[in-house]
Amino acid sequence: GMNKHEAGGKKVETIKWLSIAGRYTKMYLDKQLEPLGLNSSQHMFVIKICEEPGISQERLFSLIYLNPSNITRAITALEKQGFLVKRQNPADRRTFFLDPTEKARQTYPEIVKIAGGWYEMALEGFTEEEKALFDSLAKKAGNNLLKEMCEEKEERKKEAP
């Protein structure tokens, strides 16, 4: 069997590989998306807005697990760059609906292709079963971490005066 020392090392290895994967994913996407005038932190918004035209800013917050102020900043940048149009919600004037522009629609297939290229590259040599397993395990781990961070934030809110 494995001694305690080896078991600890294995866990640190996993953190290391996830960290490397995250860093290289960002670098790869930034490089590939640059000609389109996008970066790794923006492409997800263009995809969501193209797939759900008229999506509310609130729904976007619930789909993309980033700090709302970062999302607002990204939306502003994408609007300036001509990828989306903000439409005021007549029922609640503080909120907006987001529509893709023609530029976004034309860019969408290219973004999907870049993301697909990353996926094929990262999962090269995986069987279909391994790919499915990898997808579900990555999602499961991500959701655990997300839940933990959200609960911590809720706790901090309760403690605040």
Side-chain angles (χ1 to χ4, degrees):
M2 232 186 295
N3 66 34
K4 258 199 192 93
H5 184 69
E6 287 170 56
K10 275 259 184 296
K11 290 173 184 147
V12 173
E13 275 284 284
T14 302
I15 293 171
K16 180 186 86 176
W17 286 115
L18 281 174
S19 168
I20 289 171
R23 199 162 57 239
Y24 280 93
T25 297
K26 188 184 178 324
M27 285 164 61
Y28 175 85
L29 290 174
D30 282 339
K31 187 168 183 275
Q32 299 288 320
L33 293 164
E34 193 184 16
L36 305 176
L38 291 167
N39 64 37
S40 60
S41 56
Q42 296 171 322
H43 77 290
M44 194 66 76
F45 298 102
V46 179
I47 289 177
K48 289 290 176 212
I49 291 164
C50 285
E51 289 176 355
E52 281 188 53
I55 188 172
S56 72
Q57 212 160 324
E58 281 61 47
R59 177 153 164 74
L60 206 53
F61 289 165
S62 73
L63 290 175
I64 297 178
Y65 306 103
L66 285 172
N67 184 315
S69 64
N70 290 358
I71 296 179
T72 306
R73 204 174 311 127
I75 289 169
T76 304
L78 288 169
E79 188 181 22
K80 272 202 190 91
Q81 292 161 254
F83 285 100
L84 66 89
V85 178
K86 273 166 85 170
R87 201 158 33 92
Q88 206 171 39
N89 178 354
D92 177 359
R93 305 187 68 78
R94 291 163 307 176
T95 65
F96 293 92
F97 297 124
L98 308 169
D99 293 302
T101 59
E102 191 48 44
K103 180 180 179 178
R105 281 195 205 89
Q106 282 172 2
T107 311
Y108 174 82
E110 195 55 38
I111 300 171
V112 172
K113 205 171 94 187
I114 289 167
W118 170 87
Y119 188 85
E120 290 312 314
M121 186 179 64
L123 274 55
E124 192 185 336
F126 283 45
T127 65
E128 289 310 307
E129 288 77 23
E130 286 172 334
K131 284 180 183 177
L133 189 58
F134 180 85
D135 291 348
S136 76
L137 294 177
K139 188 175 178 178
K140 196 171 177 180
N143 276 318
N144 287 342
L145 295 168
L146 215 80
K147 208 176 95 210
E148 185 60 37
M149 297 313 287
C150 290
E151 282 166 8
E152 261 180 48
K153 226 163 53 188
E154 287 307 307
E155 284 306 308
R156 280 203 303 274
K157 264 189 213 154
K158 280 183 207 141
E159 288 161 17

